[in-house]
Amino acid sequence: MPFHLIDHPLALEVVGKLRDKRTLPAEFRDLARRLTTVLAIEATRGLKTNSYTVETPLESAQAERLSQGIAAVPILRAGLGMLSPITELFQNVSVGYIGLVRDESTAIATSYYCKLPKLSASLTLLLDPMLATGGTASQACDLVKAAGAENIKLLSVVAAPEGMDRISREHPDVHVYFAALDRELNALKYILPGLGDFGDRLYGTEG
């Protein structure tokens, strides 16, 4: 199944606080980092490792080290709020950036920036906190695949059924990890109940 709802109790608590309109940007950013840590750990369970020997203070012991590359690709600008936990968790992560802006009247996103590292041998983590229509995430999948990505996982905070349907149609090989499945999109293509505009709340630019 390509969709993974992360219902860890900590994730449930954090999502509730992210939804709260009283949560200010500084706390919102901290909550986003905490939730991304949970999502990233779940999404990277299958990473390949190599065995080696380490000397403890008492004797030799077998240990494991990561042997598979990881690339984190936030979708600007909201995805930036999910980047720092991944670079803190994984020492050798490569980072790329995709800039997509959504036309508010059509809800169609267009690309204005794309800078990606080598992706062919890496697990690529796409960071898009709000999977609404799925248009932005689908275009980002197209871009990373064109750059050689074969193993792609999309990390989102909240998903809507419409976005899930689109990803399953257009990119059935992409696994999606998310912390909440919401009811629907409104007429402006915002997720309901949602948590508002993630980027605005992250940086205090709403209103």
Side-chain angles (χ1 to χ4, degrees), residues 29-123:
R29 290 191 291 270
D30 180 64
L31 292 166
R33 286 192 292 268
R34 290 169 59 193
L35 184 56
T36 302
T37 300
V38 177
L39 292 169
I41 289 173
E42 291 295 327
T44 55
R45 281 186 179 273
L47 281 176
K48 297 176 182 178
T49 61
N50 284 334
S51 298
Y52 70 104
T53 301
V54 64
E55 294 296 327
T56 80
L58 300 176
E59 63 181 25
S60 299
Q62 288 297 110
E64 299 290 326
R65 62 164 60 96
L66 296 177
S67 61
Q68 183 177 2
I70 299 174
V73 182
I75 299 174
L76 304 176
R77 73 183 160 149
L80 287 174
M82 303 176 72
L83 179 60
S84 62
I86 295 173
T87 57
E88 291 166 6
L89 283 170
F90 303 102
Q91 291 183 330
N92 297 318
V93 63
S94 300
V95 179
Y97 299 92
I98 292 176
L100 293 166
V101 62
R102 189 175 80 160
D103 186 304
E104 295 300 329
S105 61
T106 64
I108 296 174
T110 55
S111 175
Y112 64 88
Y113 184 78
C114 183
K115 182 71 172 180
L116 299 172
K118 184 178 179 181
L119 301 174
S120 57
S122 298
L123 167 62

Side-chain angles (χ1 to χ4, degrees), residues 123-169:
L123 167 62
T124 299
L125 300 177
L126 269 179
L127 311 179
D128 187 10
M130 305 298 285
L131 181 59
T133 67
T136 298
S138 182
Q139 287 179 248
C141 288
D142 288 335
L143 290 169
V144 297
K145 285 181 177 180
E150 298 177 352
N151 184 7
I152 305 166
K153 295 185 178 182
L154 172 64
L155 276 57
S156 295
V157 173
V158 177
E162 295 89 337
M164 294 175 65
D165 289 344
R166 182 161 182 172
I167 295 299
S168 65
R169 291 195 315 270

